[in-house]
Amino acid sequence: MKNNPLYVTRPFCAPPEEFAEEYRRMSEAARFTNHGNCHERLERELAGYLGVPYFSLVNNATTGLMIACKALNLRGEVIVSPFTFPATVNALTWCGLTPVFADIAEKSFNLDPRRAEEAVTTRTSAILPVHLYGNVCDTRAFDEIARRRKLRLLYDAAHAFGVTRGDLPVGRYGDISVFSFHATKLFHTGEGGGLSCRTADLKNQVDLLRNFGIRDTECVLTAGINGKMSELHAALGLVNLRHIAAERNERARVRRLYEEQLESLRGLTVIKPPSGGREALQYFVVQIDAAYFGMSRDSLCALLETNGVYARKYFYPLCSEQAPYRNLASAAPENLSAAITAAKQLLCLPFYGAMTSTDVDRVCGIISKSCRSRPEMPAHA
Ligand SMILES: *Cc1c(COP(=O)(O)O)cnc(C)c1O
């Protein structure tokens, strides 16, 4: 089994002929970047799919977050969850901003609005919540706080492609939401990302910033960056987007197979998306309570690995425990107790559309055997 490894994800792969067809057209036009035909088509199609009025493609979500910070003219401190991928917090630092960590809510694992508001000072310019695992934050509370305290609201929606709450698309919340189209995400362009903006003015600012800040051949308006998505990446996106419904269906199938086998295990909780709306299907996450399960998350993860199953501890260690951030006052462990517990207990299991029921059985077999409360085998077995 060790020579048939199962990784936490396997990027979706569309039929090569479809990409070849896009490449043929691109090479006929001899245009490989600078907002060519593929780029413009993908930007329009994604705005439609995501249900957002103002949408801009970028070369990855990390640059996207940096562009968003500049477009919103952020200054001083930005309040952020420590329980996220390092890019969320690094983007702030690259923009000369000071991240201020606030704790997460225990059930949702998203930034707790009450704790975020407690962290607001006269230097705060924005809140940056993450829709962790694609589960939508308490947007109503964040809206209210942002309005009352005159703060900008920037969402990291890297995990939340196509997510809706009821009928409302996730990209409609806040001033800007940043999506990632990295190869490990549900929808991908190899490397890539996109920003959905609340207003046309914000989109214009984003579009200026992603193109060096250049207005025309002789005029630079602002110190921008190169955040453009290339035609090759956009072509991959166009092709992958044609298969998104099928990939979502396959992942929903895998999720059901996992749930059937894992839900009855004591000390293991399947982390479920909130009901009502289209779910993320980005990760399949379980929470291990060592006292009941009979084994810690870390031991289970190591055991899976011994058997060639590479689950991932998203997100351990916390960003607040990493070298660039651990000396910040807000990184103090007593400030972040819910995040510390979550980082010890959560585990992302292999999850992607191409997983077979045999693959799922193999992962679940190892987990069930590790659980202390497993049903006893009949004596004659
Ligand atoms: C993947 C990810 C990012 C970074 O996305 P890139 O497109 O790889 O730059 C940012 N935030 C979160 C939460 C992510 O998971």
Side-chain angles (χ1 to χ4, degrees), residues 203-214:
K203 175 174 163 60
N204 289 338
Q205 196 58 23
V206 165
D207 290 351
L208 186 67
L209 284 160
R210 76 175 168 183
N211 190 34
F212 312 99
I214 291 175

Side-chain angles (χ1 to χ4, degrees), residues 60-62 84-85 87-88 130 156 158-159 180 182 185 192:
N60 61 64
T62 309
T84 181
F85 187 65
T88 314
V130 182
D156 182 334
H159 300 168
S180 171
H182 184 260
K185 304 303 202 286

Side-chain angles (χ1 to χ4, degrees), residues 4 22-23 33 88 97 102 109 114 129 145 156 172 180 188 192 196 211 217 265 274 290 304 316 323 334 359 365 378:
N4 175 20
E22 294 295 339
Y23 175 73
T33 187
T88 314
L97 300 159
F109 310 106
R114 197 173 45 81
I145 294 167
D156 182 334
R172 300 271 194 101
S180 171
H188 78 91
S196 111
N211 190 34
T217 51
L265 297 181
L304 286 164
Y316 171 87
E334 45 299 1
D359 294 334

Side-chain angles (χ1 to χ4, degrees), residues 58-65 83-89 130-133 156-159 178-185 190-194 282-283 314-315:
V58 287
N59 54 2
N60 61 64
T62 309
T63 314
L65 286 164
F83 194 48
T84 181
F85 187 65
T88 314
V89 187
V130 182
H131 300 298
L132 196 80
Y133 311 136
D156 182 334
H159 300 168
V178 181
F179 296 88
S180 171
F181 307 143
H182 184 260
T184 55
K185 304 303 202 286
E191 290 271 3
Q282 170 63 52
Y283 296 114
Y314 289 146
F315 288 97

Side-chain angles (χ1 to χ4, degrees), residues 8 85 297 301 310-315 346-350:
V8 71
F85 187 65
R297 186 280 311 268
C301 188
Y310 298 90
R312 292 293 291 271
K313 303 170 191 177
Y314 289 146
F315 288 97
L346 294 178
L347 190 63
C348 289
L349 301 179

